[in-house]
Amino acid sequence: MFDSERGWNLSFSGCGFLGIYHVGVTRCLSERAPHLLHGARKLFGCSGGALHCVTFLAGMPLDRVIHMIMKLARVARSRQLGILHPAFHMSRYLRTELHKDLPDNVHQLVSGRLGISLTRVADGKNVLVSHFRTKNDVVDALVCSCFIPFYSGLFPPSFQGERYMDGGASDNVPFADSTTTITVSPFYGEMDICPKDRSTNFLFVDFTKLSMRLCTQNAYLLSKALFPPDLKVLAEICLRGYLDALRFLEENGICHSPQPDLSLSPAPGGPESLESPESLESPEPAAPEAEPEPDELLDHLRANLLPWDEQVLETLSPKLTQALREAMKEPSGYLSKIRSFLPVKVLSYIVLPCTLPVESVIGLAQRLVTWLPDFSNDIKWLNWAVSHVCSQVLKHLVPATRSQVPADGQQPSQHRLDPDPVGHWRPLCPPTDPDAHPEDCPVGSKAEAAQCAMLRASLTLLSGSVPVGTRGDSCSPLCPMETF
């Protein structure tokens, strides 16, 4: 929560392809409360939230950030099987785009100001990394934070010599102090900035610090976080982030008149153009015969997911609207136009059983070629992982109280039979009370006392003798097997 005296942090939750929601939130804060962004002590992020934090701290322009997210969704949706197509490699594509879009000094811009949530593969513990030596360290940390086993690949990537995976497995909403952290999430729940509804459903579930309402809207959003929706839906989610952030500012009384976006570093083309406050006022109703009050219209927009309405978008943030329009445009060219025809789309699904094996072989060959430099390290890690899993399984299957077998292969002494002075064999047991019962047996458990009794009965049956000074339900002082 915002605290002007103690300071505050910002935490952006992991959300996969819904990370464009964070773009809308940040745009609203930069226009109406820029001090919340630039006065924050630290930014925390996980998965898609970490990607957004890096792009913001690196000073990337708004249109470039939106274009990068839209391009990733477009590429993932360009194939018939989407993100599950064998030729699509999420981690490799993400690493290539980050190396291309991030500035060379990004490690200097984000070190000490950013906390990326990672999950260590070795023990499943959460790790927050904040210091980076090179640009490759930043890219490696982001790829690790977005890695989902079997969804993004088989072998988890490494950061500074250690294997990590998606931080959402251990901490999806990272923060240093919950009382001074403004949390942001695109899911319906109990975060500071998140979608709200008027439902009377009070059932919530907490998943690694992420509080989500049990509702159909969250089920839909969870599916779209892993499998990207249509670009128009992504634009609506971005706009919803803008409105949710605006509601948070008004509820806490820190909403000011729209201000120009104060980027941490200027855009390559020069300073951004300032937007007039009149262009960001409450939207005017489209129908003159039914004119609702501006406040009622704004409340309706905040409480419901907006449809695609060009007039409403332009009144909220012209720069955000323009960036969304540009990112949604289909690539120009005759090939793109041919692919957009309905008969061509239907034909592509018909020939899928013939084209999928060929594309799978090509994709597998490409993965093998790119895997060769990391082959030895990945095989060593796989060997360690298999040994670790086997040891953990044996540790849980074999009780800790079970006696260990000596190195020479003999059983422990309490189960070994030694001859007595008379020449008869007897099990060695430490002295104890002659009237001890099975629960007080010197071997320490009823199971081992029962084993002792069964062994004594077996020896009696075989030798035809009767134990002296023993009871059928207890152990003798030395568990003797003396005979007449």
Side-chain angles (χ1 to χ4, degrees):
M1 186 59 66
F2 173 71
D3 191 342
S4 57
E5 297 181 357
R6 300 174 55 189
W8 62 91
N9 304 309
L10 286 171
S11 178
F12 297 88
S13 69
C15 53
F17 286 97
L18 302 183
I20 198 170
Y21 178 90
H22 299 321
V23 178
V25 172
T26 305
R27 183 62 191 177
C28 179
L29 296 181
S30 64
E31 288 181 351
R32 302 176 181 268
H35 63 283
L36 285 183
L37 291 174
H38 306 287
R41 294 178 299 180
K42 204 168 187 178
L43 301 182
F44 297 92
C46 172
S47 185
L51 287 172
H52 172 70
C53 292
V54 171
T55 56
F56 173 74
L57 293 175
M60 293 180 59
L62 175 66
D63 54 351
R64 189 175 175 185
V65 174
I66 294 180
H67 177 75
M68 183 175 63
I69 299 176
M70 292 290 193
K71 182 181 178 182
L72 177 61
R74 182 182 287 109
V75 172
R77 290 173 52 87
S78 61
R79 302 182 184 275
Q80 289 80 359
L81 298 181
I83 195 118
L84 301 179
H85 197 280
F88 182 77
H89 197 309
M90 171 65 76
S91 297
R92 184 180 62 187
Y93 179 85
L94 187 61
R95 185 183 298 274
T96 302
E97 292 299 317
L98 290 175
H99 274 292
K100 183 176 63 176
D101 294 333
L102 293 180
D104 295 335
N105 63 336
V106 63
H107 57 286
Q108 300 174 355
L109 298 174
V110 304
S111 290
R113 306 183 60 187
L114 169 67
I116 299 180
S117 176
L118 304 177
T119 301
R120 190 162 48 208
V121 177
D123 53 6
K125 300 296 183 179
N126 182 259
V127 178
L128 283 176
V129 294
S130 300
H131 299 280
F132 312 93
R133 297 171 294 188
T134 61
K135 178 182 178 179
N136 289 332
D137 281 354
V138 179
V139 174
D140 290 342
L142 292 176
V143 173
C144 290
S145 184
C146 298
F147 181 85
I148 301 177
F150 302 105
Y151 175 84
S152 304
L154 180 60
F155 297 98
S158 59
F159 170 73
Q160 296 182 353
E162 186 73 28
R163 301 273 180 168
Y164 295 94
M165 64 179 183
D166 195 335
S170 55
D171 190 353
N172 205 25
V173 188
F175 50 77
D177 184 7
S178 60
T179 60
T180 60
T181 301
I182 301 174
T183 55
V184 183
S185 172
F187 301 103
Y188 291 81
E190 293 297 315
M191 300 293 105
D192 295 324
I193 301 178
C194 69
K196 305 291 183 181
D197 59 359
R198 298 178 179 177
S199 173
T200 58
N201 181 11
F202 297 103
L203 299 178
F204 291 87
V205 59
D206 289 333
F207 178 74
T208 61
K209 295 185 181 179
L210 177 62
S211 175
M212 295 189 299
R213 185 189 298 271
L214 291 177
C215 58
T216 56
Q217 295 92 330
N218 275 338
Y220 171 78
L221 292 175
L222 283 173
S223 65
K224 297 308 177 183
L226 298 177
F227 303 96
D230 185 70
L231 300 185
K232 182 183 292 187
V233 178
L234 287 178
E236 293 175 356
I237 293 175
C238 180
L239 179 60
R240 184 58 184 266
Y242 189 100
L243 294 178
D244 291 337
L246 181 61
R247 182 188 61 250
F248 168 79
L249 296 177
E250 291 185 349
E251 289 177 351
N252 290 272
I254 52 179
C255 183
H256 308 300
S257 59
Q259 301 291 332
D261 184 18
L262 304 178
S263 300
L264 295 182
S265 62
E272 298 181 353
S273 60
L274 303 182
E275 294 142 357
S276 60
E278 292 79 2
S279 62
L280 297 171
E281 293 178 352
S282 300
E284 294 293 335
E289 62 274 5
E291 296 184 1
E293 295 294 332
D295 292 340
E296 296 178 357
L297 176 60
L298 192 57
D299 290 340
H300 175 73
L301 296 177
R302 293 170 183 166
N304 299 277
L305 188 64
L306 288 176
W308 188 249
D309 190 335
E310 299 289 344
Q311 296 180 356
V312 175
L313 285 176
E314 291 179 0
T315 57
L316 290 177
S317 176
K319 189 172 182 62
L320 180 61
T321 304
Q322 183 64 24
L324 291 173
R325 283 205 190 106
E326 294 294 331
M328 288 177 55
K329 289 182 179 179
E330 293 294 335
S332 58
Y334 292 104
L335 185 59
S336 300
K337 293 180 180 180
I338 293 174
R339 289 179 178 176
S340 61
F341 292 155
L342 181 60
V344 176
K345 292 182 179 180
V346 174
L347 181 61
S348 64
Y349 282 99
I350 294 176
V351 300
L352 182 61
C354 300
T355 59
L356 183 59
V358 178
E359 294 178 350
S360 301
V361 172
I362 296 176
L364 180 60
Q366 293 177 349
R367 292 196 180 195
L368 289 176
V369 171
T370 57
W371 182 48
L372 289 178
D374 302 327
F375 175 79
S376 59
N377 293 332
D378 289 342
I379 292 300
K380 291 179 181 178
W381 175 85
L382 183 62
N383 184 24
W384 170 86
V386 172
S387 302
H388 181 71
V389 171
C390 292
S391 63
Q392 293 297 322
V393 171
L394 291 177
K395 181 179 178 181
H396 288 82
L397 290 180
V398 180
T401 58
R402 181 173 296 178
S403 312
Q404 299 296 330
V405 179
D408 56 358
Q410 298 179 352
Q411 294 296 327
S413 59
Q414 63 264 28
H415 297 293
R416 192 174 68 246
L417 297 179
D418 284 348
D420 61 3
V422 184
H424 299 285
W425 291 86
R426 62 174 181 173
L428 295 180
C429 297
T432 186
D433 184 9
D435 295 329
H437 292 279
E439 60 271 12
D440 302 322
C441 188
V443 292
S445 67
K446 295 181 179 180
E448 295 186 353
Q451 293 178 1
C452 183
M454 292 176 61
L455 182 60
R456 185 167 57 249
S458 300
L459 292 175
T460 303
L461 181 61
L462 293 175
S463 61
S465 57
V466 180
V468 177
T470 62
R471 297 171 53 184
D473 57 347
S474 64
C475 295
S476 64
L478 295 176
C479 292
M481 297 300 296
E482 300 178 356
T483 58
F484 295 103

